[in-house]
Amino acid sequence: MSFFIAHTVHDALTALSDGARPVAGGSDLVVGARHGKAPLPPHLVAIDRIAELREVHHTDSGVIIGALVTHHDIEMHALLTTSYAGLADGSALVGSPSTRNVGTLGGNVMNASPAMDTGSPLLVLGAEVELQSLRGTRRLGIAELWTGPGRTCAEPDELCVAVHLPAPAPNSNSAYLRLEYRRAMEIAVVGAAAAVTLAADGSISAVRVALTAVAPTIIEVVGLVGGTVADVAAAAAAAASEQATPISDQRASDRYRRHTVGVMAGRAVQAAARRAGGEMIPVPLNRAVGIGAAS
Amino acid sequence: MSQPETISVVLRVNGFDYPVAIEQGRNLLGVIRTEIGLTGTKEGCDDCECGACMVLLDGQPVNSCSFLAVQAQGRAITTVEGLMPADEMHPLQRNILEEGGVQCGFCTPGMLISASALLSRNPAPTDEDVRIGLSGNLCRCTGYTKIVAAVQRTAAEHRG
Ligand SMILES: Cc1cc2nc3c(=O)[nH]c(=O)nc-3n(C[C@H](O)[C@H](O)[C@H](O)COP(=O)(O)OP(=O)(O)OC[C@H]3O[C@@H](n4cnc5c(N)ncnc54)[C@H](O)[C@@H]3O)c2cc1C
């Protein structure tokens, strides 16, 4: 049994190569261990004090979000809540203020739950994760990272140091919506994210849609093409319901999930298009237009 | 039988340093209540759902039931007992009593912690902001309305 607090990435990588597991906010790892989901790893390295991983860098090619940036940081961030609104829609829905205060983007991504709220937004935004170990650094598309529920292709000695998002194209934006039975402290019953680019005539020239909690991992809807907003929304809804492979559990039946994920996908396309057209829909979209909206 | 392995750490709670020897997996809540002896912080669900265990870590709310005590070393921990110096009531405490926001009282310490974090971030919250700020705290008695009123009264008093 050991517990080590890392202050630098190098300290953390050394601990990982010696067999320790990382704990950031602990809101998956510690909560899961207390439930008996998996025992707490005997050797832990706390990474939450590595200051350089707590930063958001805006560059010419996009934005680099450090792995320790919290959901609270994201929901408050001026650039992320506007230009990368779909991601902020997801982070702002996570748990309660305390969950968002401790829960990190890196932890959400590496925990690889098919119900994770930042997953489908990151996928449609074209995110890449940067994994680092004492052996070197690699970057991979986020969809390649997730190999199954709770599983990633990262090696045990690799630390997720950052998530890279490319600069959005002009006249583009994103949105994420989840179906929930109450307005806070929920897990997505299903969810959908969309990123769209508008042409000069207001139609959609490029679209990506990804789905939450309807497959073993976050999945991208394939086969979508541009068109009017209404047509793309309808096509996304139909394709989402068709391509989803949901399970039945205590939260929802597979049929209900298959139907509602289409509804969420259509609405996400419409909201992303409104944002891309310059309309300010505040984060999280759920509170503005979704299930559980105030009015 | 061998003793469970312990780690010696110093926890700073309400401005005082407490040296404790604890196992790696001990939760902060248990150490605050048992080793340190401050029982204002409550255990409800032990699952980050109810908020009875809420404390501040460097001024931000955290569910102490599921936070590793060893991970809290070197950080400022504030429990409900530390909201104000001994024998004085925090305006939130006074107002939650006066507004009738306390019935059984079990959720109250966690509510006070979340409310104080909210008001330090947002001194002029809307009712919706208050409800979001308290969304990690369950109350089975009051129906929340009087708790929201107490937070709003505190905010208004503070603005003068
Ligand atoms: C009450 C409650 C409500 C929640 N609600 C939601 C919700 O609505 N939506 C949602 O998506 N999630 C939710 N979660 C889950 C959790 O809060 C998030 O997934 C959070 O982002 C996890 O981050 P963390 O820093 O706490 O991760 P940790 O628990 O510290 O780590 C999670 C896993 O990732 C690994 N890990 C962490 N950081 C790294 C890194 N940088 N590199 C490599 N591996 C790493 C850890 O070893 C561990 O296996 C909730 C949790 C709770 C307790």
Side-chain angles (χ1 to χ4, degrees):
Chain A
M1 187 182 79
S2 71
F3 185 84
F4 173 67
I5 295 179
H7 289 275
T8 66
V9 171
H10 189 267
D11 283 354
L13 297 182
T14 306
L16 292 189
S17 80
D18 290 341
R21 298 304 309 143
V23 55
S27 64
D28 278 313
L29 188 76
V30 180
V31 174
R34 296 188 67 74
H35 270 247
K37 191 177 148 203
L40 200 63
H43 302 292
L44 283 174
V45 53
I47 58 173
D48 57 320
R49 275 172 246 200
I50 306 176
E52 63 189 283
L53 299 186
R54 188 78 198 262
E55 291 168 6
V56 179
H57 291 291
H58 188 193
T59 69
D60 288 344
S61 52
V63 65
I64 304 170
I65 308 174
L68 293 175
V69 170
T70 65
H71 297 291
H72 178 70
D73 297 334
I74 293 172
E75 70 170 335
M76 301 306 286
H77 195 276
L79 177 73
L80 297 177
T81 51
T82 51
S83 301
Y84 301 89
L87 173 62
D89 285 330
S91 280
L93 288 178
V94 171
S96 67
S98 59
T99 325
R100 296 193 285 279
N101 172 43
V102 297
T104 63
L105 184 62
N108 202 223
V109 163
M110 298 305 288
N111 193 60
S113 160
M116 59 180 292
D117 283 306
T118 67
S120 61
L122 289 174
L123 187 49
V124 297
L125 287 166
E128 291 187 346
V129 287
E130 183 178 345
L131 300 176
Q132 205 175 324
S133 70
L134 290 181
R135 297 173 289 116
T137 297
R138 60 176 173 143
R139 256 169 83 164
L140 62 160
I142 199 138
E144 285 170 61
L145 177 74
W146 298 312
T147 53
R151 286 202 306 274
T152 71
C153 69
E155 298 294 333
D157 65 342
E158 284 180 312
L159 187 71
C160 172
V161 290
V163 173
H164 296 250
L165 298 177
N171 305 315
S172 73
N173 213 324
S174 56
Y176 171 71
L177 207 57
R178 80 177 181 194
L179 178 61
E180 48 188 9
Y181 297 139
R182 52 179 179 172
R183 294 182 54 207
M185 302 297 283
E186 251 300 26
I187 301 173
V189 181
V190 296
V196 307
T197 305
L198 297 184
D201 65 358
S203 66
I204 292 177
S205 57
V207 57
R208 292 183 79 171
V209 172
L211 310 178
T212 306
V214 292
T217 62
I218 302 291
I219 56 166
E220 180 159 10
V221 175
V222 296
L224 296 178
V225 295
T228 66
V229 174
D231 284 351
V232 174
S241 289
E242 197 187 297
Q243 293 172 30
T245 56
I247 55 164
S248 289
D249 62 12
Q250 71 279 10
R251 302 173 52 70
S253 69
D254 54 352
R255 282 180 58 216
Y256 183 70
R257 283 199 164 98
R258 188 181 285 284
H259 174 73
T260 52
V261 79
V263 177
M264 294 299 119
R267 289 185 192 174
V269 167
Q270 275 166 338
R274 283 166 60 193
R275 280 182 174 152
E279 193 181 331
M280 170 67 198
I281 309 176
V283 163
L285 181 62
N286 260 65
R287 222 168 277 139
V289 307
I291 309 290
S295 56
Chain B
M1 256 189 30
S2 67
Q3 290 287 323
E5 269 180 77
T6 60
I7 300 173
S8 293
V9 297
V10 176
L11 295 181
R12 189 163 186 83
V13 183
N14 302 331
F16 294 96
D17 284 337
Y18 296 90
V20 290
I22 51 180
E23 289 125 60
Q24 178 223 44
R26 281 293 294 284
N27 63 350
L28 181 58
L29 173 67
V31 175
I32 289 171
R33 288 180 56 88
T34 311
E35 269 76 8
I36 296 176
L38 294 171
T39 54
T41 310
K42 304 302 183 201
E43 176 174 306
C45 66
D46 194 15
D47 191 25
C48 292
E49 294 282 340
C50 79
C53 67
M54 204 73 78
V55 301
L56 299 177
L57 211 55
D58 294 335
Q60 297 301 321
V62 166
N63 293 93
S64 65
C65 70
S66 304
F67 199 86
L68 294 177
V70 285
Q71 202 176 350
Q73 55 185 305
R75 302 181 66 176
I77 302 158
T78 308
T79 67
V80 68
E81 292 92 342
L83 282 179
M84 283 296 274
D87 300 333
E88 282 178 54
M89 257 205 251
H90 189 280
L92 278 167
Q93 289 172 310
R94 197 181 60 245
N95 287 329
I96 203 168
L97 286 173
E98 287 182 4
E99 290 288 340
V102 178
Q103 286 186 28
C104 88
F106 199 81
C107 75
T108 311
M111 287 284 178
L112 293 168
I113 290 288
S114 288
S116 74
L118 169 72
L119 291 182
S120 60
R121 237 184 0 251
N122 179 357
T126 62
D127 281 1
E128 175 75 2
D129 293 335
V130 176
R131 287 180 180 274
I132 294 167
L134 301 180
S135 59
N137 296 82
L138 296 181
C139 172
R140 299 287 83 165
C141 307
T142 65
Y144 302 100
T145 303
K146 294 172 175 191
I147 297 175
V148 175
V151 177
Q152 289 295 28
R153 183 163 155 186
T154 308
E157 281 174 11
H158 191 72
R159 290 195 300 272

